[in-house]
């Protein structure tokens, strides 16, 4: 008992001891979430005597599951069966191995990965972009839609085709006894839903269920958990509504916001003591997140004392920003800070390019986490290959990379035949296609493809000629002629790839503007120098997106791109509250110092754009500005309140009314709009 509680504060101890019924542990950033969840597991087994095999703890990543398992086992004495602590998908795999026969399927099925899935889809249909179909099939499965359902929902022809592919894909999986990643959860839910007696039996087996990172669950995972709780109410979820940043991939913040509705009679504990960040960092994080209305409400309390004030870097453009950040990082390294205790974060991947170049120039080694270096990205390599062929028709390596991008119906076998014929004639592939007769070319490839190749060669020659007349407009001519952005049409990351291409086009224009007499060859030479980072021995600093940084911590954090349009990202499909949560997550990665950077202008979508400073500076209390900032009211949706006349009611909405807040309240079926100052919270 002493071992379990010796490192816990009062709130953590209370949460650990509350084992019966639904429990929501709201764990702020750096508040000892993992310590609490594994201590609770140890308490159930070691103190209450619950058999370890009757517990189930689920999380989202194998890394988190491994760390939690190791820490839990160090707190538990030898048990006959260790507790099941794994990811949602691993649980689904184990469950299906024992029960998939109820769906008239064999239990020696094979789980296919994402690449296998895409290969199968491509065989069925190569016309529609494979990533688009894969993404839609995943969405269908997570929404429990059959191919018939998907077909009925499809309003446009393209989606009718996708529904047809889905049907053929499902048939292929069935015939070959395969399951994909999404099946691990959707089929598990289907079995529990179709077989109530199995749901009852499974629920009785796992009498105590704990879920980590609950704010990241989707609707299907919630429904699965409800099935696992049909025989008991003992579910404990740990999470932070302020760190819900995966709405774009299906996570539903309402799961944590409305936990007490999904699991009635819930006990709620708030872990607010922060053991990670110094006071000034927490102050700006708290101030920023208070502007969100859709939150359960908590405040991070510093335990590590005061530290450096949050630093704001003002720069004219991204190049000046990169220089300043490289200088600050150099100073930290010279003072003895280890490189791997430093991180540079950004909301949009395209922003990494200028920082990469700044670090290269300063000789600072870096690791790009969860992504490729700018010049290693496929879309950038494609662009460089096009430029290389246009400046050197005899570059066979680059020609082979681009000959079927965008798709021109040429498979590898056709390209190999042409390459062999070119070598036999002691010429480059380009020259061979240009000079060989159409008839001879048709002997190697289909008639339609032969004509396409001849047209392709003429297009390259035309762009090469125009590039000599106007270097500045070269990239416009390149895009207009070959429609390179269409390569990525329909892909899940289409927007990111096109942003990267626009960044590259802008980089080219900037080069021409600064060196009007330079040739395209010189531009390529500059790129080669920039993209070959010096292999410096020793540690590297980290660069990553804010999404990739979640769950990590660093002594010194630099966040770039705090401008309207980048952080927060705005426009169609963006959610300001989720953007604010991203800001909050990024701020709370820092332990000792936090630097927030913004630039007055950046290359964006191929053009230099003037940018407005992010509203988050105002909201975090870091500067005054013209932006209108509204603090959150003390009341929020779903709060229980009491009115002197109308009695007890539940808040259904909050709006501004002059300097006051107006609450929409449901008093046992009677709805009233009342100013906040006339009610008290229960």
């Amino acid at each position: 008992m002493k071992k379990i509680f010796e490192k816990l504060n009062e709130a953590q101890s209370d949460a650990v001891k509350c084992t019966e019924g639904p429990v929501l542990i709201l764990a702020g950033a750096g508040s000892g979430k993992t310590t609490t969840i594994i201590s609770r597991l140890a308490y159930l087994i070691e103190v209450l005597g619950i058999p370890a095999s009757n517990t189930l703890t689920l999380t989202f990543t194998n890394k988190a599951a491994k760390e939690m398992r190791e820490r839990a086992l160090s707190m538990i004495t030898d048990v006959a069966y260790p507790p099941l602590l794994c990811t949602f998908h691993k649980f689904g795999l184990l469950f299906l191995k024992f029960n998939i026969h109820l769906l008239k399927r064999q239990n020696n099925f094979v789980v296919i990965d994402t690449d296998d899935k895409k290969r199968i889809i491509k065989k069925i249909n190569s016309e529609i972009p494979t990533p688009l179909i894969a993404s839609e099939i995943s969405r269908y499965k997570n929404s429990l839609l059959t191919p018939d359902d998907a077909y009925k929902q499809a309003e446009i022809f393209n989606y009718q085709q996708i529904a047809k592919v889905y049907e053929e894909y499902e048939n292929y999986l069935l015939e070959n006894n395969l399951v994909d990643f999404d099946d691990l959860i959707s089929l598990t839910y289907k079995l529990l839903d179709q077989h109530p007696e199995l749901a009852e039996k499974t629920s009785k087996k796992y009498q105590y269920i704990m879920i980590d990172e609950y704010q990241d669950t989707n609707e299907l995972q919630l429904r699965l958990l409800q099935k696992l709780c049909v025989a008991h109410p003992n579910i404990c979820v740990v999470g932070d509504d302020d760190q819900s940043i995966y709405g774009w991939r299906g996570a539903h913040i309402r799961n944590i916001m409305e936990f007490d509705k999904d699991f009635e009679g819930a006990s709620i504990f708030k872990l607010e003591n922060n053991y990670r960040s110094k006071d000034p960092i927490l102050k700006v994080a708290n101030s920023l997140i208070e502007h969100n209305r859709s939150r359960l409400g908590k405040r991070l309390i510093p335990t590590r004392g005061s530290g450096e004030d949050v630093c704001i870097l003002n720069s004219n453009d991204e190049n000046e920003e990169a220089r300043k950040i490289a200088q600050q990082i150099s100073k930290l390294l010279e003072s003895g800070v280890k490189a791997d205790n430093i991180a540079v974060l950004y909301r949009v991947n395209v922003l990494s390019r200028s920082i990469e170049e700044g670090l290269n120039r300063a000789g600072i080694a870096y690791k790009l986490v969860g992504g490729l270096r700018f010049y290693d990205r496929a879309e950038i390599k494609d662009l460089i290959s096009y430029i290389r062929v246009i400046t050197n028709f005899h570059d066979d390596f680059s020609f082979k990379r681009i000959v079927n991008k965008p798709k021109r119906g040429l498979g590898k076998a056709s390209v190999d035949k042409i390459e062999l014929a070119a070598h036999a004639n002691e010429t480059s592939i380009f020259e061979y296609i240009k000079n060989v007769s159409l008839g001879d070319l048709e002997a190697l490839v289909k008639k339609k493809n032969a004509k396409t190749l001849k047209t392709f060669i003429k297009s390259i020659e035309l762009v090469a000629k125009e590039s000599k007349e106007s270097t500045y407009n070269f990239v416009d001519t390149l895009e207009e002629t070959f429609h390179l952005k269409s390569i990525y049409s329909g892909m899940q990351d289409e927007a990111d790839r096109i942003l990267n291409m626009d960044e590259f086009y802008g980089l080219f224009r900037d080069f021409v503007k600064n060196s009007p007499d330079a040739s395209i060859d010189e531009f390529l030479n500059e790129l080669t120098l920039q993209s070959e980072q010096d292999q410096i021995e020793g540690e590297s600093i980290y660069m990553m997106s804010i999404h990739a940084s979640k769950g990590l911590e660093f002594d010194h954090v630099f966040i770039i791109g705090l401008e309207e349009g980048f952080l927060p990202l705005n426009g169609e499909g963006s959610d300001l509250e989720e953007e604010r949560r991203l800001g909050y997550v990024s701020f709370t990665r820092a332990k000792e110092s936090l630097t927030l950077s913004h630039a007055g202008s950046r290359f964006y979508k191929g053009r230099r754009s003037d940018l407005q400073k992010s509203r988050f500076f105002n909201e975090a209390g870091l500067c005054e500005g013209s932006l209108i900032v509204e603090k959150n009211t003390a009341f929020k949706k779903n709060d229980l309140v009491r009115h002197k006349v109308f009695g007890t009611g539940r808040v259904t909405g909050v709006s501004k009314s002059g300097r006051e807040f107006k609450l929409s309240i449901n008093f046992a079926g009677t709805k009233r709009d009342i100013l906040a100052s006339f009610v008290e919270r229960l």
Side-chain angles (χ1 to χ4, degrees), residues 545-672:
S545 69
I546 296 170
H547 282 101
S549 75
K550 187 168 174 290
L552 303 176
E553 59 183 30
F554 303 91
D555 286 351
H556 306 279
V557 171
F558 295 81
I559 304 167
I560 65 169
L562 269 102
E563 300 104 24
E564 291 294 305
F566 286 110
L567 185 62
L569 206 60
N570 47 34
E572 193 180 342
S574 64
D575 175 350
L576 184 57
E577 297 226 338
E578 183 153 317
E579 292 299 309
R580 226 175 251 121
R581 293 194 290 271
L582 276 161
Y584 173 82
V585 165
S586 65
F587 292 4
T588 54
R589 298 311 94 199
K591 294 162 74 174
E592 303 295 328
S593 77
L594 174 64
T595 300
L596 306 179
S597 174
H598 73 89
S601 77
R602 292 183 191 276
F603 269 124
Y604 182 59
K605 296 191 174 176
R607 295 280 185 272
R608 181 159 292 285
S609 303
D610 290 332
L611 297 166
Q612 188 181 359
K613 205 170 179 178
S614 171
R615 72 187 74 186
F616 291 171
F617 284 107
N618 302 66
E619 295 181 354
L622 288 165
C623 66
E624 293 299 320
S626 58
L627 290 171
I628 297 167
V629 181
E630 290 181 2
K631 280 270 183 182
N632 198 359
T633 170
F635 294 95
K636 58 191 175 302
K637 195 176 177 182
N638 293 323
D639 276 350
L640 278 174
V641 294
R642 181 183 288 120
H643 185 270
K644 285 180 182 177
V645 175
F646 302 113
T648 302
R650 189 176 289 276
V651 176
T652 58
V654 181
S655 59
K656 201 87 168 69
S657 178
R659 294 188 177 182
E660 263 268 36
F661 283 96
K662 184 170 68 177
L663 308 179
S664 297
I665 307 170
N666 185 342
F667 295 100
T670 304
K671 294 177 182 176
R672 304 274 181 184

Side-chain angles (χ1 to χ4, degrees), residues 377-636:
R377 291 166 180 157
E379 60 273 21
I380 303 304
K381 284 189 162 185
D382 291 341
L383 284 172
I384 293 170
S385 295
Y386 260 96
I387 297 172
R388 282 184 173 147
V389 170
I390 286 160
T391 57
N392 175 14
F393 296 157
H394 307 299
D395 184 345
D396 281 359
F397 179 79
S398 296
F399 186 89
K400 286 192 290 180
R401 182 178 180 96
I402 66 169
V403 70
N404 205 36
K405 290 182 177 181
K407 285 181 181 171
R408 298 182 178 93
L410 290 155
K412 186 179 181 298
S414 298
V415 176
D416 288 347
K417 282 181 193 173
I418 296 168
E419 185 178 23
L420 281 172
H423 287 177
N425 283 273
E426 297 182 345
T427 184
S428 66
I429 299 174
F430 181 97
E431 287 294 330
Y432 177 78
I433 297 170
K434 178 185 173 182
N435 297 323
V436 73
S437 70
L438 189 60
D440 286 346
L441 194 54
E442 286 171 359
L444 296 173
V445 297
K446 292 174 186 171
K447 192 174 181 179
K448 180 186 169 190
N449 293 348
K451 286 180 181 173
T452 301
L453 281 168
K454 288 284 190 182
T455 304
F456 181 49
I457 295 297
K458 283 178 186 170
S459 297
I460 290 172
E461 289 180 318
L462 184 68
V463 175
K465 184 184 172 190
E466 290 188 20
S467 71
K468 292 186 174 88
E469 292 169 12
S470 172
T471 311
Y472 186 80
N473 293 322
F474 166 65
V475 286
D476 292 319
T477 308
L478 182 71
E479 182 59 45
E480 286 162 14
T481 305
F482 297 110
H483 308 291
L484 301 181
K485 290 178 183 177
S486 69
I487 298 170
Y488 308 103
S489 176
M491 288 191 179
Q492 209 167 5
D493 57 355
E494 177 185 359
D496 272 350
R497 288 180 184 265
I498 288 173
L499 270 180
N500 291 335
M501 293 172 79
D502 284 333
E503 173 81 358
F504 182 88
Y505 290 155
L507 188 67
F508 179 85
R509 291 190 189 96
D510 201 40
F511 173 82
V512 176
K513 208 183 279 181
N514 294 327
S515 316
D517 299 324
S519 67
I520 295 174
D521 276 333
E522 286 173 81
F523 173 72
L524 287 172
N525 291 337
E526 281 285 313
L527 281 192
T528 306
L529 292 173
Q530 288 173 354
S531 58
E532 292 295 323
Q533 187 197 12
D534 294 333
Q535 292 304 304
I536 302 161
E537 292 297 318
E539 298 291 334
S540 305
I541 71 156
Y542 288 97
M543 288 180 58
M544 67 190 82
S545 69
I546 296 170
H547 282 101
S549 75
K550 187 168 174 290
L552 303 176
E553 59 183 30
F554 303 91
D555 286 351
H556 306 279
V557 171
F558 295 81
I559 304 167
I560 65 169
L562 269 102
E563 300 104 24
E564 291 294 305
F566 286 110
L567 185 62
L569 206 60
N570 47 34
E572 193 180 342
S574 64
D575 175 350
L576 184 57
E577 297 226 338
E578 183 153 317
E579 292 299 309
R580 226 175 251 121
R581 293 194 290 271
L582 276 161
Y584 173 82
V585 165
S586 65
F587 292 4
T588 54
R589 298 311 94 199
K591 294 162 74 174
E592 303 295 328
S593 77
L594 174 64
T595 300
L596 306 179
S597 174
H598 73 89
S601 77
R602 292 183 191 276
F603 269 124
Y604 182 59
K605 296 191 174 176
R607 295 280 185 272
R608 181 159 292 285
S609 303
D610 290 332
L611 297 166
Q612 188 181 359
K613 205 170 179 178
S614 171
R615 72 187 74 186
F616 291 171
F617 284 107
N618 302 66
E619 295 181 354
L622 288 165
C623 66
E624 293 299 320
S626 58
L627 290 171
I628 297 167
V629 181
E630 290 181 2
K631 280 270 183 182
N632 198 359
T633 170
F635 294 95
K636 58 191 175 302

